Amino acid sequence: MRDKKHVAGDLAEAIVVQHYIRKGWWVYTSPQAHQPADVIALSPDGEMLLLEVKKDSKRVNPGRSKSERINRVLNEQQKSLNVKLVYVDTDTQDLDLKMT
């Protein structure tokens, strides 16, 4: 049986791919397990996005009552390549693209 976290990650990536295909972009994914970007999206006007896809997860930190997003950090290689982080809510299929 597959790990639930891997299944959720695959689902999040599929949602991102579908989102950009519906916008009319060309979308590419990598067959490799370890790469700097999960998805490459190219718009018809020449805009290119390198995307690191993460399932949007929340937790309640100690001493708090409100749940907050578990923030992820890009590595130095991803930063140098201008990879963007995109959080995906797999229940609602909402995307939150972090442009900085």
Side-chain angles (χ1 to χ4, degrees):
M1 179 124 178
R2 291 186 64 205
D3 184 298
K4 289 180 183 178
K5 289 182 181 181
H6 293 180
V7 171
D10 289 345
L11 179 58
E13 192 172 310
I15 290 167
V16 169
V17 168
Q18 174 185 331
H19 172 81
Y20 283 98
I21 288 173
R22 286 182 187 272
K23 288 178 65 167
W25 292 41
W26 294 282
V27 180
Y28 304 89
T29 59
S30 174
Q32 296 175 332
H34 302 285
Q35 69 282 336
D38 296 317
V39 174
I40 300 170
L42 302 171
S43 77
D45 347 339
E47 182 181 357
M48 179 176 70
L49 293 175
L50 301 176
L51 301 170
E52 175 71 10
V53 179
K54 296 294 181 191
K55 180 184 178 292
D56 197 3
S57 300
K58 299 185 188 303
R59 70 171 161 226
V60 178
N61 289 321
R64 307 256 174 132
S65 58
K66 184 179 174 188
S67 64
E68 296 177 353
R69 172 180 285 157
I70 300 173
N71 288 307
R72 309 297 180 187
V73 179
L74 297 174
N75 64 38
E76 290 306 313
Q77 181 183 34
Q78 289 172 314
K79 289 176 186 177
S80 71
L81 293 170
N82 202 28
V83 174
K84 304 299 180 198
L85 194 55
V86 59
Y87 292 99
V88 180
D89 182 324
T90 55
D91 294 328
T92 64
Q93 297 193 10
D94 289 336
L95 276 60
D96 184 8
L97 180 63
K98 295 298 174 190
M99 295 305 285
T100 56

